[in-house]
Structure formats: C-alpha cells, structure tokens
Amino acid sequence: MNEKITAHSSKEEREKVLKEIRQLENRKKILENKQRNEERRVRTRRLIERGAVLEGIFPLAPDLPGVEVKAFLIALSHLPGAAELAAKLPKSGDKP
C-alpha cells in the first residue's frame, strides 16, 4: 500500500514540476515577445526620426522613390571629405 501512495505522490510531483516548467516556458516566451516589440518600437522611432531629418535637409527626398534616395546618399558618401566626416561621427552606442 505504501508503494501505491509513493508512486501516486511521485506522479503528482512530476506533473506539478512539468506544469511549472510549462508556465516558466510560457513566461519566457511572453518576455521575449515584449523585448522584440520594444526593440521594434525603438527601431521604428529611429527610422522615422532619421527620415524626417533627411526630408528636412533635402526637400525633394519625399518625392523620390527609395532607390533614388539610396543612390543619392551613396553619391553624397563618395564626395571628397565624406569619409573623414563619417569617421569623426560618434560610433553606434557612444553617448555624445
């Protein structure tokens, strides 16, 4: 009889542990989704801000297709002094 009680409580304990593992895995997925959403939100904000700067400096930019904007920026990057200017910019993650 003690074997049945031990086996039964062992099975219950195993089920309890498996349930807790599933709960922790679900909590992990929820936290990962929140992190991805926050990273996506930050990236979207950064892209919008930089697009606004581009359009503010180059008024024709909103009327150009993306391929032409890219070609324009590449052409600007090849102008004399552009590489030196870019080298002086703070690296990503550096605080001004």
Side-chain angles (χ1 to χ4, degrees):
M1 183 157 150
N2 272 346
E3 291 177 17
K4 286 185 179 180
I5 293 173
T6 305
H8 184 65
S9 64
S10 175
K11 184 178 178 182
E12 286 178 354
E13 178 126 359
R14 176 177 162 77
E15 289 175 5
K16 182 180 176 183
V17 169
L18 290 174
K19 181 180 178 182
E20 187 175 350
I21 289 171
R22 284 192 302 272
Q23 288 174 341
L24 290 171
E25 287 171 345
N26 286 336
R27 193 175 326 160
K28 179 183 174 193
K29 286 180 186 178
I30 290 169
L31 291 173
E32 287 171 345
N33 285 338
K34 283 183 180 181
Q35 182 179 8
R36 275 194 299 273
N37 287 339
E38 179 62 18
E39 290 169 356
R40 189 177 301 116
R41 187 190 68 76
V42 168
R43 180 177 184 269
T44 299
R45 179 177 176 89
R46 184 181 70 243
L47 293 174
I48 290 170
E49 288 174 350
R50 291 180 182 178
V53 169
L54 176 69
E55 289 182 3
I57 294 172
F58 302 106
L60 294 177
D63 300 328
L64 297 176
V67 175
E68 290 185 22
V69 172
K70 181 178 178 179
F72 176 71
L73 292 174
I74 290 171
L76 283 179
S77 71
H78 294 302
L79 292 175
E84 293 80 16
L85 182 61
K88 291 179 185 178
L89 292 174
K91 301 294 181 236
S92 180
D94 291 351
K95 298 292 178 188

